[in-house]
Amino acid sequence: MMRLLSLFLYYAFARHLPTQPMPGWRFGYWLRRQLARHIFRRCGQAVLIKHGAYFGSGREIELGERSQIGHNARIDHDVVIGDDVLMGPEVVMMSAGHAFGDAAVPINRQGQTQRRPVHIGNDVWIGTRAIIMPGVEVGDGAVIGAASVVTHSVPPLAVVAGVPARVIGTRGKRRARDREAGKLRAPVALSGNAGVLH
């Protein structure tokens, strides 16, 4: 009963409360966190669920410690999100899609494909409007570029971008190379202004 009440309160009220820096954002974060503890299969401490996030019934979702669900995100069933995950606005994670194999039957009558869970590791940054497709596993420490469509699993510490997403770098590689060469540079900042990440 508590779960159903929490789900109702989330979609009727708490989902629409503001996100930082709008007035009332602290209350919005607090209330969404409290409700998520009754909705999700697992909900860690100090999580952030931002304005407009949609996650259906939320029954099969796990959200790790200090992780967040971004502004207007859409999270499907069977999604596990690790600890310390950052998520930009309007991220989509899908664990199933529509079947379309039979050309003689309209797609809307073919039902869903089999669900394939999505797993997001720890310390992952998912950029704005990234789409993560069914069955994808994102390794610890990976970075997903903005507007990427992730169709295959991502190795740990990989930086991926594009449609479909491909590996364009590795976190920490430049730092290790500079250390070996004896010239440690300042860390490179990755931001939305770079055109890839946000």
Side-chain angles (χ1 to χ4, degrees):
M1 185 65 184
M2 187 61 183
R3 189 180 173 283
L4 290 176
L5 178 60
S6 297
L7 201 59
F8 173 79
L9 289 173
Y10 177 80
Y11 284 113
F13 177 67
R15 180 184 186 202
H16 308 288
L17 292 173
T19 294
Q20 188 178 7
M22 300 300 290
W25 66 270
R26 289 181 196 275
F27 176 69
Y29 283 176
W30 176 83
L31 182 58
R32 287 189 288 266
R33 181 182 308 121
Q34 300 311 310
L35 294 173
R37 289 188 176 130
H38 297 287
I39 296 170
F40 295 164
R41 181 165 55 199
R42 183 174 74 84
C43 183
Q45 298 296 315
V47 301
L48 293 180
I49 300 171
K50 297 190 176 179
H51 171 89
Y54 176 85
F55 39 76
S57 71
R59 183 184 305 274
E60 302 300 321
I61 292 175
E62 296 185 22
L63 183 61
E65 308 291 325
R66 301 167 303 279
S67 288
Q68 60 182 251
I69 295 178
H71 185 88
N72 287 331
R74 186 175 180 92
I75 310 298
D76 209 347
H77 306 279
D78 304 316
V79 172
V80 175
I81 299 171
D83 299 336
D84 301 302
V85 173
L86 289 173
M87 190 183 301
E90 300 180 5
V91 167
V92 175
M93 295 184 194
M94 302 169 57
S95 61
H98 288 288
F100 60 88
D102 188 345
V105 178
I107 295 171
N108 66 356
R109 295 186 197 162
Q110 294 189 43
Q112 282 194 332
T113 58
Q114 183 177 359
R115 282 190 186 167
R116 294 186 296 149
V118 171
H119 292 271
I120 308 297
N122 301 319
D123 186 30
V124 171
W125 178 15
I126 305 170
T128 299
R129 294 185 177 167
I131 300 173
I132 299 175
M133 300 299 284
V136 165
E137 294 189 21
V138 177
D140 292 348
V143 176
I144 311 296
S148 298
V149 178
V150 185
T151 58
H152 293 92
S153 293
V154 176
L157 299 177
V159 179
V160 302
V163 180
R166 62 182 181 80
V167 176
I168 61 169
T170 304
R171 282 182 64 195
K173 196 171 190 179
R174 176 181 287 175
R175 190 171 178 88
R177 189 174 59 233
D178 290 346
R179 189 178 297 116
E180 288 171 9
K183 52 178 184 178
L184 188 60
R185 297 185 191 124
V188 176
L190 297 175
S191 71
N193 296 334
V196 176
L197 305 168
H198 183 70

